[in-house]
PDB file of all heavy atoms in Angstrom:
ATOM      1  N   GLY G   1     155.895  31.602  35.290  1.00  0.00           N
ATOM      2  CA  GLY G   1     155.584  32.777  36.106  1.00  0.00           C
ATOM      3  C   GLY G   1     154.378  33.501  35.542  1.00  0.00           C
ATOM      4  O   GLY G   1     154.204  33.588  34.321  1.00  0.00           O
ATOM      5  N   MET G   2     153.534  34.025  36.419  1.00  0.00           N
ATOM      6  CA  MET G   2     152.332  34.723  35.971  1.00  0.00           C
ATOM      7  C   MET G   2     152.671  35.972  35.159  1.00  0.00           C
ATOM      8  O   MET G   2     151.992  36.302  34.195  1.00  0.00           O
ATOM      9  CB  MET G   2     151.465  35.106  37.174  1.00  0.00           C
ATOM     10  CG  MET G   2     150.041  35.489  36.810  1.00  0.00           C
ATOM     11  SD  MET G   2     149.120  34.094  36.110  1.00  0.00           S
ATOM     12  CE  MET G   2     148.012  34.944  34.984  1.00  0.00           C
ATOM     13  N   ALA G   3     153.750  36.641  35.539  1.00  0.00           N
ATOM     14  CA  ALA G   3     154.136  37.854  34.812  1.00  0.00           C
ATOM     15  C   ALA G   3     154.454  37.530  33.359  1.00  0.00           C
ATOM     16  O   ALA G   3     154.088  38.273  32.443  1.00  0.00           O
ATOM     17  CB  ALA G   3     155.333  38.517  35.482  1.00  0.00           C
ATOM     18  N   GLU G   4     155.132  36.411  33.134  1.00  0.00           N
ATOM     19  CA  GLU G   4     155.454  36.011  31.762  1.00  0.00           C
ATOM     20  C   GLU G   4     154.194  35.676  30.977  1.00  0.00           C
ATOM     21  O   GLU G   4     154.039  36.098  29.818  1.00  0.00           O
ATOM     22  CB  GLU G   4     156.381  34.798  31.766  1.00  0.00           C
ATOM     23  CG  GLU G   4     156.694  34.278  30.357  1.00  0.00           C
ATOM     24  CD  GLU G   4     157.414  32.944  30.340  1.00  0.00           C
ATOM     25  OE1 GLU G   4     157.703  32.406  31.422  1.00  0.00           O
ATOM     26  OE2 GLU G   4     157.692  32.444  29.229  1.00  0.00           O
ATOM     27  N   LEU G   5     153.279  34.926  31.600  1.00  0.00           N
ATOM     28  CA  LEU G   5     152.050  34.552  30.909  1.00  0.00           C
ATOM     29  C   LEU G   5     151.217  35.778  30.570  1.00  0.00           C
ATOM     30  O   LEU G   5     150.652  35.870  29.473  1.00  0.00           O
ATOM     31  CB  LEU G   5     151.238  33.584  31.766  1.00  0.00           C
ATOM     32  CG  LEU G   5     149.921  33.101  31.145  1.00  0.00           C
ATOM     33  CD1 LEU G   5     150.162  32.409  29.806  1.00  0.00           C
ATOM     34  CD2 LEU G   5     149.186  32.172  32.109  1.00  0.00           C
ATOM     35  N   LEU G   6     151.140  36.741  31.478  1.00  0.00           N
ATOM     36  CA  LEU G   6     150.381  37.964  31.206  1.00  0.00           C
ATOM     37  C   LEU G   6     151.011  38.755  30.063  1.00  0.00           C
ATOM     38  O   LEU G   6     150.305  39.297  29.209  1.00  0.00           O
ATOM     39  CB  LEU G   6     150.300  38.819  32.472  1.00  0.00           C
ATOM     40  CG  LEU G   6     149.412  38.276  33.587  1.00  0.00           C
ATOM     41  CD1 LEU G   6     149.605  39.072  34.872  1.00  0.00           C
ATOM     42  CD2 LEU G   6     147.941  38.293  33.161  1.00  0.00           C
ATOM     43  N   ALA G   7     152.342  38.823  30.049  1.00  0.00           N
ATOM     44  CA  ALA G   7     153.025  39.537  28.965  1.00  0.00           C
ATOM     45  C   ALA G   7     152.755  38.856  27.631  1.00  0.00           C
ATOM     46  O   ALA G   7     152.508  39.522  26.611  1.00  0.00           O
ATOM     47  CB  ALA G   7     154.516  39.603  29.239  1.00  0.00           C
ATOM     48  N   ARG G   8     152.806  37.534  27.615  1.00  0.00           N
ATOM     49  CA  ARG G   8     152.526  36.789  26.385  1.00  0.00           C
ATOM     50  C   ARG G   8     151.057  36.952  25.971  1.00  0.00           C
ATOM     51  O   ARG G   8     150.737  37.005  24.780  1.00  0.00           O
ATOM     52  CB  ARG G   8     152.876  35.319  26.578  1.00  0.00           C
ATOM     53  CG  ARG G   8     154.370  35.052  26.678  1.00  0.00           C
ATOM     54  CD  ARG G   8     154.661  33.571  26.912  1.00  0.00           C
ATOM     55  NE  ARG G   8     156.086  33.293  27.012  1.00  0.00           N
ATOM     56  CZ  ARG G   8     156.872  33.033  25.976  1.00  0.00           C
ATOM     57  NH1 ARG G   8     156.371  33.022  24.749  1.00  0.00           N
ATOM     58  NH2 ARG G   8     158.156  32.781  26.140  1.00  0.00           N
ATOM     59  N   SER G   9     150.162  37.047  26.942  1.00  0.00           N
ATOM     60  CA  SER G   9     148.746  37.244  26.651  1.00  0.00           C
ATOM     61  C   SER G   9     148.507  38.611  26.005  1.00  0.00           C
ATOM     62  O   SER G   9     147.792  38.727  25.011  1.00  0.00           O
ATOM     63  CB  SER G   9     147.921  37.119  27.940  1.00  0.00           C
ATOM     64  OG  SER G   9     148.033  35.830  28.490  1.00  0.00           O
ATOM     65  N   ASP G  10     149.113  39.641  26.568  1.00  0.00           N
ATOM     66  CA  ASP G  10     148.983  40.983  25.985  1.00  0.00           C
ATOM     67  C   ASP G  10     149.546  41.010  24.571  1.00  0.00           C
ATOM     68  O   ASP G  10     148.958  41.628  23.664  1.00  0.00           O
ATOM     69  CB  ASP G  10     149.710  42.011  26.857  1.00  0.00           C
ATOM     70  CG  ASP G  10     148.965  42.326  28.144  1.00  0.00           C
ATOM     71  OD1 ASP G  10     147.763  42.032  28.219  1.00  0.00           O
ATOM     72  OD2 ASP G  10     149.601  42.857  29.076  1.00  0.00           O
ATOM     73  N   ALA G  11     150.674  40.343  24.353  1.00  0.00           N
ATOM     74  CA  ALA G  11     151.288  40.313  23.028  1.00  0.00           C
ATOM     75  C   ALA G  11     150.390  39.580  22.033  1.00  0.00           C
ATOM     76  O   ALA G  11     150.237  40.008  20.883  1.00  0.00           O
ATOM     77  CB  ALA G  11     152.658  39.649  23.096  1.00  0.00           C
ATOM     78  N   ALA G  12     149.785  38.473  22.467  1.00  0.00           N
ATOM     79  CA  ALA G  12     148.894  37.720  21.580  1.00  0.00           C
ATOM     80  C   ALA G  12     147.679  38.550  21.195  1.00  0.00           C
ATOM     81  O   ALA G  12     147.241  38.528  20.042  1.00  0.00           O
ATOM     82  CB  ALA G  12     148.455  36.423  22.261  1.00  0.00           C
ATOM     83  N   LEU G  13     147.136  39.298  22.146  1.00  0.00           N
ATOM     84  CA  LEU G  13     145.988  40.155  21.848  1.00  0.00           C
ATOM     85  C   LEU G  13     146.365  41.276  20.890  1.00  0.00           C
ATOM     86  O   LEU G  13     145.617  41.594  19.968  1.00  0.00           O
ATOM     87  CB  LEU G  13     145.415  40.738  23.145  1.00  0.00           C
ATOM     88  CG  LEU G  13     144.617  39.761  24.012  1.00  0.00           C
ATOM     89  CD1 LEU G  13     144.346  40.374  25.381  1.00  0.00           C
ATOM     90  CD2 LEU G  13     143.314  39.379  23.331  1.00  0.00           C
ATOM     91  N   ARG G  14     147.540  41.858  21.094  1.00  0.00           N
ATOM     92  CA  ARG G  14     147.971  42.922  20.179  1.00  0.00           C
ATOM     93  C   ARG G  14     148.139  42.386  18.767  1.00  0.00           C
ATOM     94  O   ARG G  14     147.720  43.024  17.797  1.00  0.00           O
ATOM     95  CB  ARG G  14     149.291  43.544  20.664  1.00  0.00           C
ATOM     96  CG  ARG G  14     149.143  44.483  21.842  1.00  0.00           C
ATOM     97  CD  ARG G  14     150.401  45.317  22.040  1.00  0.00           C
ATOM     98  NE  ARG G  14     151.566  44.490  22.323  1.00  0.00           N
ATOM     99  CZ  ARG G  14     151.941  44.133  23.544  1.00  0.00           C
ATOM    100  NH1 ARG G  14     151.243  44.512  24.587  1.00  0.00           N
ATOM    101  NH2 ARG G  14     153.010  43.391  23.727  1.00  0.00           N
ATOM    102  N   ARG G  15     148.747  41.208  18.628  1.00  0.00           N
ATOM    103  CA  ARG G  15     148.924  40.627  17.296  1.00  0.00           C
ATOM    104  C   ARG G  15     147.574  40.322  16.651  1.00  0.00           C
ATOM    105  O   ARG G  15     147.373  40.553  15.460  1.00  0.00           O
ATOM    106  CB  ARG G  15     149.755  39.346  17.387  1.00  0.00           C
ATOM    107  CG  ARG G  15     151.211  39.568  17.696  1.00  0.00           C
ATOM    108  CD  ARG G  15     152.020  38.302  17.431  1.00  0.00           C
ATOM    109  NE  ARG G  15     151.575  37.185  18.242  1.00  0.00           N
ATOM    110  CZ  ARG G  15     152.078  36.890  19.431  1.00  0.00           C
ATOM    111  NH1 ARG G  15     153.018  37.656  19.966  1.00  0.00           N
ATOM    112  NH2 ARG G  15     151.637  35.832  20.091  1.00  0.00           N
ATOM    113  N   TYR G  16     146.676  39.789  17.448  1.00  0.00           N
ATOM    114  CA  TYR G  16     145.362  39.417  16.927  1.00  0.00           C
ATOM    115  C   TYR G  16     144.598  40.632  16.421  1.00  0.00           C
ATOM    116  O   TYR G  16     144.081  40.636  15.304  1.00  0.00           O
ATOM    117  CB  TYR G  16     144.558  38.712  18.013  1.00  0.00           C
ATOM    118  CG  TYR G  16     143.124  38.457  17.640  1.00  0.00           C
ATOM    119  CD1 TYR G  16     142.793  37.574  16.614  1.00  0.00           C
ATOM    120  CD2 TYR G  16     142.094  39.102  18.310  1.00  0.00           C
ATOM    121  CE1 TYR G  16     141.476  37.332  16.270  1.00  0.00           C
ATOM    122  CE2 TYR G  16     140.777  38.861  17.969  1.00  0.00           C
ATOM    123  CZ  TYR G  16     140.471  37.984  16.960  1.00  0.00           C
ATOM    124  OH  TYR G  16     139.175  37.749  16.616  1.00  0.00           O
ATOM    125  N   PHE G  17     144.533  41.675  17.235  1.00  0.00           N
ATOM    126  CA  PHE G  17     143.777  42.850  16.834  1.00  0.00           C
ATOM    127  C   PHE G  17     144.454  43.595  15.692  1.00  0.00           C
ATOM    128  O   PHE G  17     143.796  44.151  14.819  1.00  0.00           O
ATOM    129  CB  PHE G  17     143.556  43.775  18.031  1.00  0.00           C
ATOM    130  CG  PHE G  17     142.587  43.234  19.035  1.00  0.00           C
ATOM    131  CD1 PHE G  17     142.915  43.176  20.378  1.00  0.00           C
ATOM    132  CD2 PHE G  17     141.354  42.750  18.637  1.00  0.00           C
ATOM    133  CE1 PHE G  17     142.032  42.667  21.303  1.00  0.00           C
ATOM    134  CE2 PHE G  17     140.461  42.237  19.558  1.00  0.00           C
ATOM    135  CZ  PHE G  17     140.796  42.196  20.895  1.00  0.00           C
ATOM    136  N   LYS G  18     145.796  43.591  15.686  1.00  0.00           N
ATOM    137  CA  LYS G  18     146.496  44.222  14.567  1.00  0.00           C
ATOM    138  C   LYS G  18     146.239  43.456  13.281  1.00  0.00           C
ATOM    139  O   LYS G  18     146.044  44.043  12.218  1.00  0.00           O
ATOM    140  CB  LYS G  18     148.000  44.291  14.845  1.00  0.00           C
ATOM    141  CG  LYS G  18     148.763  45.039  13.759  1.00  0.00           C
ATOM    142  CD  LYS G  18     150.219  45.224  14.122  1.00  0.00           C
ATOM    143  CE  LYS G  18     150.943  46.025  13.039  1.00  0.00           C
ATOM    144  NZ  LYS G  18     152.367  46.213  13.372  1.00  0.00           N
ATOM    145  N   SER G  19     146.207  42.134  13.373  1.00  0.00           N
ATOM    146  CA  SER G  19     145.919  41.304  12.206  1.00  0.00           C
ATOM    147  C   SER G  19     144.519  41.548  11.693  1.00  0.00           C
ATOM    148  O   SER G  19     144.266  41.574  10.492  1.00  0.00           O
ATOM    149  CB  SER G  19     146.097  39.828  12.562  1.00  0.00           C
ATOM    150  OG  SER G  19     145.681  39.001  11.504  1.00  0.00           O
ATOM    151  N   ALA G  20     143.585  41.741  12.627  1.00  0.00           N
ATOM    152  CA  ALA G  20     142.180  41.920  12.237  1.00  0.00           C
ATOM    153  C   ALA G  20     141.929  43.295  11.653  1.00  0.00           C
ATOM    154  O   ALA G  20     141.073  43.468  10.788  1.00  0.00           O
ATOM    155  CB  ALA G  20     141.271  41.688  13.437  1.00  0.00           C
ATOM    156  N   THR G  21     142.669  44.306  12.103  1.00  0.00           N
ATOM    157  CA  THR G  21     142.347  45.672  11.700  1.00  0.00           C
ATOM    158  C   THR G  21     143.539  46.440  11.139  1.00  0.00           C
ATOM    159  O   THR G  21     143.388  47.591  10.754  1.00  0.00           O
ATOM    160  CB  THR G  21     141.819  46.463  12.913  1.00  0.00           C
ATOM    161  OG1 THR G  21     142.883  46.599  13.873  1.00  0.00           O
ATOM    162  CG2 THR G  21     140.641  45.759  13.554  1.00  0.00           C
ATOM    163  N   GLU G  22     144.728  45.798  11.120  1.00  0.00           N
ATOM    164  CA  GLU G  22     145.978  46.448  10.735  1.00  0.00           C
ATOM    165  C   GLU G  22     146.429  47.468  11.766  1.00  0.00           C
ATOM    166  O   GLU G  22     147.472  48.062  11.646  1.00  0.00           O
ATOM    167  CB  GLU G  22     145.847  47.147   9.363  1.00  0.00           C
ATOM    168  CG  GLU G  22     145.610  46.193   8.221  1.00  0.00           C
ATOM    169  CD  GLU G  22     146.682  45.124   8.111  1.00  0.00           C
ATOM    170  OE1 GLU G  22     147.853  45.462   8.326  1.00  0.00           O
ATOM    171  OE2 GLU G  22     146.350  43.979   7.828  1.00  0.00           O
ATOM    172  N   ASN G  23     145.624  47.708  12.790  1.00  0.00           N
ATOM    173  CA  ASN G  23     146.002  48.633  13.848  1.00  0.00           C
ATOM    174  C   ASN G  23     145.132  48.344  15.058  1.00  0.00           C
ATOM    175  O   ASN G  23     143.918  48.318  14.930  1.00  0.00           O
ATOM    176  CB  ASN G  23     145.784  50.082  13.400  1.00  0.00           C
ATOM    177  CG  ASN G  23     146.425  51.083  14.356  1.00  0.00           C
ATOM    178  OD1 ASN G  23     146.558  50.814  15.554  1.00  0.00           O
ATOM    179  ND2 ASN G  23     146.805  52.232  13.843  1.00  0.00           N
ATOM    180  N   PRO G  24     145.735  48.101  16.232  1.00  0.00           N
ATOM    181  CA  PRO G  24     144.913  47.812  17.398  1.00  0.00           C
ATOM    182  C   PRO G  24     144.107  49.008  17.880  1.00  0.00           C
ATOM    183  O   PRO G  24     143.230  48.856  18.720  1.00  0.00           O
ATOM    184  CB  PRO G  24     145.940  47.372  18.453  1.00  0.00           C
ATOM    185  CG  PRO G  24     147.214  48.011  18.022  1.00  0.00           C
ATOM    186  CD  PRO G  24     147.164  48.021  16.517  1.00  0.00           C
ATOM    187  N   VAL G  25     144.409  50.197  17.358  1.00  0.00           N
ATOM    188  CA  VAL G  25     143.629  51.385  17.687  1.00  0.00           C
ATOM    189  C   VAL G  25     142.913  51.848  16.421  1.00  0.00           C
ATOM    190  O   VAL G  25     143.550  52.224  15.439  1.00  0.00           O
ATOM    191  CB  VAL G  25     144.512  52.516  18.245  1.00  0.00           C
ATOM    192  CG1 VAL G  25     143.660  53.738  18.561  1.00  0.00           C
ATOM    193  CG2 VAL G  25     145.272  52.052  19.474  1.00  0.00           C
ATOM    194  N   VAL G  26     141.594  51.796  16.457  1.00  0.00           N
ATOM    195  CA  VAL G  26     140.791  52.206  15.304  1.00  0.00           C
ATOM    196  C   VAL G  26     140.336  53.644  15.537  1.00  0.00           C
ATOM    197  O   VAL G  26     139.675  53.944  16.535  1.00  0.00           O
ATOM    198  CB  VAL G  26     139.568  51.280  15.132  1.00  0.00           C
ATOM    199  CG1 VAL G  26     138.703  51.759  13.970  1.00  0.00           C
ATOM    200  CG2 VAL G  26     140.025  49.846  14.899  1.00  0.00           C
ATOM    201  N   VAL G  27     140.706  54.531  14.625  1.00  0.00           N
ATOM    202  CA  VAL G  27     140.336  55.939  14.737  1.00  0.00           C
ATOM    203  C   VAL G  27     139.370  56.276  13.624  1.00  0.00           C
ATOM    204  O   VAL G  27     139.663  56.089  12.439  1.00  0.00           O
ATOM    205  CB  VAL G  27     141.579  56.857  14.660  1.00  0.00           C
ATOM    206  CG1 VAL G  27     141.157  58.320  14.742  1.00  0.00           C
ATOM    207  CG2 VAL G  27     142.557  56.511  15.773  1.00  0.00           C
ATOM    208  N   VAL G  28     138.201  56.753  14.011  1.00  0.00           N
ATOM    209  CA  VAL G  28     137.160  57.113  13.051  1.00  0.00           C
ATOM    210  C   VAL G  28     136.710  58.525  13.393  1.00  0.00           C
ATOM    211  O   VAL G  28     135.933  58.731  14.329  1.00  0.00           O
ATOM    212  CB  VAL G  28     135.967  56.137  13.130  1.00  0.00           C
ATOM    213  CG1 VAL G  28     134.910  56.510  12.109  1.00  0.00           C
ATOM    214  CG2 VAL G  28     136.428  54.704  12.917  1.00  0.00           C
ATOM    215  N   GLY G  29     137.212  59.501  12.647  1.00  0.00           N
ATOM    216  CA  GLY G  29     136.891  60.884  12.975  1.00  0.00           C
ATOM    217  C   GLY G  29     137.291  61.194  14.405  1.00  0.00           C
ATOM    218  O   GLY G  29     138.431  60.940  14.819  1.00  0.00           O
ATOM    219  N   PRO G  30     136.362  61.684  15.224  1.00  0.00           N
ATOM    220  CA  PRO G  30     136.693  62.033  16.611  1.00  0.00           C
ATOM    221  C   PRO G  30     136.679  60.834  17.549  1.00  0.00           C
ATOM    222  O   PRO G  30     136.990  60.971  18.722  1.00  0.00           O
ATOM    223  CB  PRO G  30     135.578  63.013  16.987  1.00  0.00           C
ATOM    224  CG  PRO G  30     134.403  62.522  16.194  1.00  0.00           C
ATOM    225  CD  PRO G  30     134.973  62.060  14.871  1.00  0.00           C
ATOM    226  N   LEU G  31     136.328  59.657  17.025  1.00  0.00           N
ATOM    227  CA  LEU G  31     136.186  58.461  17.848  1.00  0.00           C
ATOM    228  C   LEU G  31     137.437  57.588  17.760  1.00  0.00           C
ATOM    229  O   LEU G  31     137.930  57.309  16.667  1.00  0.00           O
ATOM    230  CB  LEU G  31     134.968  57.659  17.389  1.00  0.00           C
ATOM    231  CG  LEU G  31     134.628  56.387  18.179  1.00  0.00           C
ATOM    232  CD1 LEU G  31     134.127  56.760  19.570  1.00  0.00           C
ATOM    233  CD2 LEU G  31     133.584  55.566  17.423  1.00  0.00           C
ATOM    234  N   SER G  32     137.931  57.140  18.916  1.00  0.00           N
ATOM    235  CA  SER G  32     139.099  56.266  18.969  1.00  0.00           C
ATOM    236  C   SER G  32     138.758  55.044  19.816  1.00  0.00           C
ATOM    237  O   SER G  32     138.297  55.174  20.952  1.00  0.00           O
ATOM    238  CB  SER G  32     140.290  57.015  19.593  1.00  0.00           C
ATOM    239  OG  SER G  32     141.388  56.152  19.781  1.00  0.00           O
ATOM    240  N   VAL G  33     139.007  53.845  19.241  1.00  0.00           N
ATOM    241  CA  VAL G  33     138.714  52.595  19.940  1.00  0.00           C
ATOM    242  C   VAL G  33     140.006  51.787  20.033  1.00  0.00           C
ATOM    243  O   VAL G  33     140.548  51.356  19.011  1.00  0.00           O
ATOM    244  CB  VAL G  33     137.638  51.773  19.202  1.00  0.00           C
ATOM    245  CG1 VAL G  33     137.277  50.526  20.014  1.00  0.00           C
ATOM    246  CG2 VAL G  33     136.396  52.615  18.920  1.00  0.00           C
ATOM    247  N   ASP G  34     140.500  51.598  21.254  1.00  0.00           N
ATOM    248  CA  ASP G  34     141.691  50.780  21.472  1.00  0.00           C
ATOM    249  C   ASP G  34     141.221  49.356  21.744  1.00  0.00           C
ATOM    250  O   ASP G  34     140.660  49.065  22.804  1.00  0.00           O
ATOM    251  CB  ASP G  34     142.498  51.313  22.659  1.00  0.00           C
ATOM    252  CG  ASP G  34     143.856  50.620  22.781  1.00  0.00           C
ATOM    253  OD1 ASP G  34     143.905  49.395  22.583  1.00  0.00           O
ATOM    254  OD2 ASP G  34     144.851  51.299  23.091  1.00  0.00           O
ATOM    255  N   LEU G  35     141.449  48.453  20.783  1.00  0.00           N
ATOM    256  CA  LEU G  35     140.921  47.105  20.872  1.00  0.00           C
ATOM    257  C   LEU G  35     141.651  46.238  21.878  1.00  0.00           C
ATOM    258  O   LEU G  35     141.131  45.203  22.299  1.00  0.00           O
ATOM    259  CB  LEU G  35     140.969  46.440  19.490  1.00  0.00           C
ATOM    260  CG  LEU G  35     140.161  47.145  18.401  1.00  0.00           C
ATOM    261  CD1 LEU G  35     140.426  46.501  17.051  1.00  0.00           C
ATOM    262  CD2 LEU G  35     138.670  47.118  18.725  1.00  0.00           C
ATOM    263  N   VAL G  36     142.855  46.624  22.261  1.00  0.00           N
ATOM    264  CA  VAL G  36     143.605  45.854  23.244  1.00  0.00           C
ATOM    265  C   VAL G  36     143.245  46.283  24.663  1.00  0.00           C
ATOM    266  O   VAL G  36     142.887  45.471  25.512  1.00  0.00           O
ATOM    267  CB  VAL G  36     145.121  45.976  23.015  1.00  0.00           C
ATOM    268  CG1 VAL G  36     145.891  45.322  24.148  1.00  0.00           C
ATOM    269  CG2 VAL G  36     145.498  45.343  21.687  1.00  0.00           C
ATOM    270  N   SER G  37     143.323  47.592  24.938  1.00  0.00           N
ATOM    271  CA  SER G  37     143.014  48.076  26.288  1.00  0.00           C
ATOM    272  C   SER G  37     141.514  48.252  26.510  1.00  0.00           C
ATOM    273  O   SER G  37     141.073  48.460  27.631  1.00  0.00           O
ATOM    274  CB  SER G  37     143.714  49.417  26.533  1.00  0.00           C
ATOM    275  OG  SER G  37     143.139  50.446  25.741  1.00  0.00           O
ATOM    276  N   ARG G  38     140.736  48.180  25.423  1.00  0.00           N
ATOM    277  CA  ARG G  38     139.277  48.326  25.481  1.00  0.00           C
ATOM    278  C   ARG G  38     138.866  49.698  26.005  1.00  0.00           C
ATOM    279  O   ARG G  38     137.898  49.837  26.736  1.00  0.00           O
ATOM    280  CB  ARG G  38     138.657  47.222  26.328  1.00  0.00           C
ATOM    281  CG  ARG G  38     138.785  45.848  25.700  1.00  0.00           C
ATOM    282  CD  ARG G  38     137.802  44.860  26.271  1.00  0.00           C
ATOM    283  NE  ARG G  38     137.666  43.722  25.387  1.00  0.00           N
ATOM    284  CZ  ARG G  38     136.592  42.938  25.314  1.00  0.00           C
ATOM    285  NH1 ARG G  38     135.545  43.196  26.067  1.00  0.00           N
ATOM    286  NH2 ARG G  38     136.550  41.922  24.491  1.00  0.00           N
ATOM    287  N   THR G  39     139.595  50.712  25.613  1.00  0.00           N
ATOM    288  CA  THR G  39     139.226  52.075  25.963  1.00  0.00           C
ATOM    289  C   THR G  39     138.653  52.772  24.740  1.00  0.00           C
ATOM    290  O   THR G  39     139.064  52.503  23.607  1.00  0.00           O
ATOM    291  CB  THR G  39     140.435  52.865  26.482  1.00  0.00           C
ATOM    292  OG1 THR G  39     141.492  52.817  25.504  1.00  0.00           O
ATOM    293  CG2 THR G  39     140.938  52.284  27.789  1.00  0.00           C
ATOM    294  N   VAL G  40     137.703  53.653  24.988  1.00  0.00           N
ATOM    295  CA  VAL G  40     137.042  54.388  23.912  1.00  0.00           C
ATOM    296  C   VAL G  40     137.115  55.867  24.239  1.00  0.00           C
ATOM    297  O   VAL G  40     136.799  56.281  25.369  1.00  0.00           O
ATOM    298  CB  VAL G  40     135.569  53.951  23.758  1.00  0.00           C
ATOM    299  CG1 VAL G  40     134.899  54.730  22.631  1.00  0.00           C
ATOM    300  CG2 VAL G  40     135.482  52.452  23.496  1.00  0.00           C
ATOM    301  N   GLU G  41     137.539  56.673  23.269  1.00  0.00           N
ATOM    302  CA  GLU G  41     137.624  58.111  23.468  1.00  0.00           C
ATOM    303  C   GLU G  41     136.867  58.831  22.367  1.00  0.00           C
ATOM    304  O   GLU G  41     136.871  58.402  21.208  1.00  0.00           O
ATOM    305  CB  GLU G  41     139.083  58.583  23.470  1.00  0.00           C
ATOM    306  CG  GLU G  41     139.892  58.056  24.640  1.00  0.00           C
ATOM    307  CD  GLU G  41     141.311  58.596  24.658  1.00  0.00           C
ATOM    308  OE1 GLU G  41     141.698  59.272  23.671  1.00  0.00           O
ATOM    309  OE2 GLU G  41     142.030  58.362  25.640  1.00  0.00           O
TER     310      GLU G  41
END
């Protein structure tokens, strides 16, 4: 099912980015970068 594959894809990305940075959200002072959702604040 596509829903299962998408869920597994999101999980794989979260594991990958957490492994690379110890946190999928990198916060640097006032800057926040969510490496999974690709949002920047």
